Amino acid sequence: MSEGVEWAIHTAVLLAALPAGRSLPAARLAEFHELPPAYLAKQLQALATAGIVATTAGRRGGYRLARPAADVTVLDIVRGIEGSSPAFRCTEIRRQGPGAAGASHYRHPCGIARVMGDAEAAWREALAATTVHDLLVEVVNTVSPVSIRRTTEFLEEAMR
Amino acid sequence: MSEGVEWAIHTAVLLAALPAGRSLPAARLAEFHELPPAYLAKQLQALATAGIVATTAGRRGGYRLARPAADVTVLDIVRGIEGSSPAFRCTEIRRQGPGAAGASHYRHPCGIARVMGDAEAAWREALAATTVHDLLVEVVNTVSPVSIRRTTEFLEEAMR
C-alpha cells in the first residue's frame, strides 16, 4: 500500500476540521504534515476523482471535503488512492494442467478464491465502519492541547 | 499480491492429497497447474524457509508438506510468500509540521494507524481460520469426478 493512503487519510481529517464552506490550498495541506507538495497533489486529484474532495476557485479557494465527514469512510479514501481491485486475483489455475476437466465441470467457485475474497471482505468491512468524522472526534479527544492550539493557529492563518 | 500466492496455495492443497510419506518433484508440481517451473521453484523455496514444505532427497524425493495439512493455515502460506509486514505502514506524519507537539505529547496511538491495523487483523483472522486440510476437503467435495480421476492418475504416475 502506498504512503499516499496515510497522507490522504490525515489530509481528509484536517479538511474535516475546517469551518463549513472553507477550503485550503494544496500547498497548505502539504505544509501541514511536511509532505512533498507534488506527490500530495496527485493524491488530492485521485480523491477529487473519487468524489471525496472538491475544489473551490478564487482567492480563498482550494480543497474541501465534497460531502459531510460522516459520509466519508476510511474505505472510500483507501479505494480512492489504491483503486478497488482486490489484492488477490484468482486466475483459475485449477482449470489447467493434467488434472483439469472441461469448463462445464466447474460449477462451484474455487474454495481458495472464496477464502481469499472473504478475508478481503472482512478488511473492507472494518475500513467501512470508520468515517473521517469518527477519526476527527478521536483526534480531538486524544491529541495534546498543544497540537490543538497549533493546528487552530495554522488553520486561522492559512484561511486568512 | 503476487500470483505466487495463488500458486502456492493450490500447490499446498495438491501436496496435502499425497499419501503419507510421499513427495513430488518441483517440476511435477509446476506441470500439474501448467505453471512456470523456475518461478514456482522460488515460491517452493519460500514455503520451505517458512517451514510449510520440506524436501526429501533420492529417486522418489521432492516436496511434501512439512507438517499435517490441518496445521497449515492459508495465512501461513500467504505470509510465507508475501512476508508478514503490514500493508499499511504508519510513518507518524502527525508528529511533523506546524500542528505537531513534542514527542512526549503523543501518548495515544494514532487513530488512523489503529483503524488500518484493525482491518488487517480482521483479514489475517479470516485467513488463519482456514487450513490446507479444509481446502482439500472442499476440493474433494466440490470438484468434478473427472478432475478427481485425472488428478489421481497424474499422482500415481508422478509418484512411480
Side-chain angles (χ1 to χ4, degrees):
Chain A
M1 193 176 291
S2 80
E3 53 195 349
V5 169
E6 181 188 21
W7 302 357
I9 302 173
H10 274 282
T11 299
V13 173
L14 183 64
L15 291 178
L18 295 182
R22 301 305 298 271
S23 305
L24 275 190
R28 289 302 215 159
L29 293 171
E31 181 190 348
F32 185 72
H33 287 114
E34 291 177 2
L35 301 174
Y39 189 18
L40 182 67
K42 278 190 191 166
Q43 317 304 330
L44 288 167
Q45 279 159 23
L47 293 181
T49 302
I52 294 167
V53 300
T55 49
T56 315
R59 198 181 70 78
R60 285 185 165 173
Y63 283 94
R64 58 181 169 78
L65 289 180
R67 52 184 197 263
D71 294 342
V72 179
T73 70
V74 176
L75 180 63
D76 293 334
I77 299 175
V78 172
R79 294 185 133 187
I81 300 297
E82 297 281 290
S84 52
S85 303
F88 178 84
R89 204 169 64 85
C90 169
T91 64
E92 287 280 346
I93 61 170
R94 62 178 181 159
R95 295 181 189 231
Q96 60 203 40
S104 65
H105 288 268
Y106 296 92
R107 262 168 275 171
H108 297 275
C110 178
I112 293 171
R114 186 186 46 71
V115 168
M116 298 302 289
D118 286 353
E120 291 194 36
W123 175 80
R124 288 195 303 270
E125 199 177 317
L127 294 183
T130 300
T131 69
V132 170
H133 175 74
D134 297 332
L135 289 174
L136 177 63
V137 169
E138 179 167 343
V139 166
V140 169
N141 287 334
T142 58
V143 92
S144 129
V146 176
S147 272
I148 300 275
R149 179 170 51 75
R150 290 181 182 170
T151 300
T152 306
E153 286 167 6
F154 170 82
L155 290 177
E156 282 171 356
E157 195 269 319
M159 287 189 301
R160 201 166 285 158
Chain B
M1 193 176 290
S2 80
E3 53 195 349
V5 169
E6 181 189 20
W7 303 356
I9 301 172
H10 275 281
T11 299
V13 173
L14 183 64
L15 291 178
L18 295 182
R22 301 306 298 269
S23 305
L24 274 191
R28 290 302 215 157
L29 294 171
E31 182 190 346
F32 185 73
H33 287 114
E34 290 178 3
L35 301 174
Y39 188 18
L40 182 65
K42 277 190 192 168
Q43 318 304 328
L44 289 167
Q45 279 159 24
L47 293 181
T49 303
I52 294 167
V53 300
T55 50
T56 315
R59 200 181 68 80
R60 285 185 164 174
Y63 283 95
R64 57 181 170 78
L65 289 180
R67 52 183 197 263
D71 293 342
V72 179
T73 71
V74 176
L75 180 63
D76 293 334
I77 298 175
V78 172
R79 293 185 135 186
I81 300 297
E82 297 281 290
S84 52
S85 304
F88 177 84
R89 206 170 62 86
C90 169
T91 64
E92 287 280 345
I93 62 169
R94 63 179 181 160
R95 296 180 189 231
Q96 58 202 43
S104 66
H105 289 267
Y106 295 93
R107 262 168 276 173
H108 298 274
C110 178
I112 293 171
R114 186 185 48 73
V115 169
M116 298 301 289
D118 286 353
E120 291 194 37
W123 176 82
R124 287 195 303 271
E125 200 177 319
L127 294 184
T130 300
T131 69
V132 170
H133 175 74
D134 297 332
L135 289 174
L136 177 63
V137 169
E138 179 167 344
V139 166
V140 168
N141 287 334
T142 58
V143 93
S144 130
V146 177
S147 272
I148 300 274
R149 180 171 49 75
R150 289 183 181 168
T151 300
T152 307
E153 286 167 6
F154 170 83
L155 290 177
E156 281 171 357
E157 195 271 319
M159 288 188 302
R160 202 166 287 157

